[in-house]
Amino acid sequence: MTRTNANDRLRRMELLAVQLKQDSHCTVKDLAREHGVSVRTIARDLSLMRDQGMQIDADRGRGGGVRLDRNWGVGRMNLSYGEAVDLLISIAVAEQMNSPIFLASLGSVRRQLVASFSPEKRKKVDHLQARIMIGVTASTYVQASVTTPPKRVVQALHQAFIAQEGLEIRYQREDGETSTRHIDPHYLLLKYPVWYVVAFDHLRQEPRTFRCDRMRAASATGTHFKLLPKKQFGSFLVADERLI
């Protein structure tokens, strides 16, 4: 087994342990479909997990489910790079929002999370955080029109932002007109509750700001970009916005 396959299996087994403990009924077929592998692969994973001492119960018969004993602890979390970044950013946003509820331990959680990173990964996370800003709260007019972006759009944007990869998006303006754009997502800006992408727009050949909830489709172009200096985005990044 190659190192990549071994890492994939270990990661999948970690996710399976969490899922089996939380879900009351999971079938091997369902798990295989969700993780994008064969039923045989999931069966091997479950066998390895049992060999490690995990108490995995299975119902007999067709359609029977599998579950992990709820008294079994799943151990320490092993977050992927993307998951760790998401968690750190969520903590930073919560801190910047100055909400008095549930903030007492956020600083401690953030410090422990950062301390668990290797120096190289810590540097990457710091670099990403410097590209995410908190601005003023959106006006009531803007808030009234906010919708939830499609999950597939959020996922594509998330990956492109982290990997500094271009995106082709289908964007709908306020007047309903749509256009296809090729953008490089340099910065993310939160004007609560609205997220914006501050990007270089290849159609206009200059910086533009796009509301995330107006992106109707998004896909990676496969081309990577170098970050432009913040000053080149001028009024799109204004003085009242703070880095998280």
Side-chain angles (χ1 to χ4, degrees), residues 149-157 167-172 178-183 210-220:
K151 184 177 181 180
R152 61 186 182 279
V153 170
V154 173
Q155 291 172 335
L157 174 58
L167 270 181
E168 184 177 282
I169 64 171
R170 185 161 53 85
Y171 190 73
Q172 185 174 35
T178 60
S179 61
T180 298
R181 305 289 187 90
H182 174 191
I183 66 171
F210 300 91
R211 263 178 57 171
C212 295
D213 64 321
R214 288 187 179 158
M215 294 182 181
R216 298 297 176 249
S219 59

Side-chain angles (χ1 to χ4, degrees), residues 84-97 103 105-111 113-114 129 244:
V85 169
D86 285 352
L87 182 55
L88 270 178
I89 290 171
S90 297
I91 291 172
V93 169
E95 289 175 329
Q96 289 290 353
M97 296 304 297
L103 286 182
S105 300
L106 283 185
S108 174
V109 172
R110 173 171 43 77
R111 288 191 293 273
L113 185 59
V114 171
Q129 282 191 244
I244 67 172

Side-chain angles (χ1 to χ4, degrees), residues 62-211:
R62 189 172 183 177
V66 289
R67 72 189 68 81
L68 179 62
D69 191 313
R70 291 186 181 275
N71 293 320
W72 178 272
V74 296
R76 61 184 289 273
M77 288 192 298
N78 183 18
L79 299 176
S80 69
Y81 173 57
E83 290 169 338
V85 169
D86 285 352
L87 182 55
L88 270 178
I89 290 171
S90 297
I91 291 172
V93 169
E95 289 175 329
Q96 289 290 353
M97 296 304 297
N98 292 321
S99 171
I101 307 298
F102 305 125
L103 286 182
S105 300
L106 283 185
S108 174
V109 172
R110 173 171 43 77
R111 288 191 293 273
Q112 292 181 62
L113 185 59
V114 171
S116 70
F117 293 157
S118 67
E120 180 182 359
K121 184 174 286 189
R122 196 175 309 166
K123 187 176 180 180
K124 286 184 177 180
V125 171
D126 288 342
H127 180 65
L128 273 175
Q129 282 191 244
R131 295 169 55 204
I132 301 173
M133 283 155 288
I134 306 296
V136 296
T137 301
S139 68
T140 53
Y141 173 78
V142 171
Q143 291 188 43
S145 64
V146 175
T147 59
T148 302
K151 184 177 181 180
R152 61 186 182 279
V153 170
V154 173
Q155 291 172 335
L157 174 58
H158 178 276
Q159 181 59 36
F161 179 74
I162 289 178
Q164 287 182 216
E165 187 174 1
L167 270 181
E168 184 177 282
I169 64 171
R170 185 161 53 85
Y171 190 73
Q172 185 174 35
R173 300 190 324 190
E174 185 177 5
D175 61 8
E177 183 178 338
T178 60
S179 61
T180 298
R181 305 289 187 90
H182 174 191
I183 66 171
D184 296 336
H186 281 67
Y187 297 94
L188 292 179
L189 169 63
L190 174 63
K191 293 188 174 183
Y192 185 82
V194 188
W195 279 99
Y196 296 84
V197 182
V198 183
F200 183 84
D201 180 6
H202 287 267
L203 178 64
R204 306 298 183 190
Q205 284 297 299
E206 59 184 359
R208 282 286 190 272
T209 299
F210 300 91
R211 263 178 57 171

Side-chain angles (χ1 to χ4, degrees), residues 1-13 45:
M1 180 183 296
T2 66
R3 182 177 181 82
T4 299
N5 288 341
N7 289 338
D8 289 344
R9 167 156 285 174
L10 288 172
R11 178 65 180 154
R12 189 170 59 247
M13 288 167 61
D45 291 344

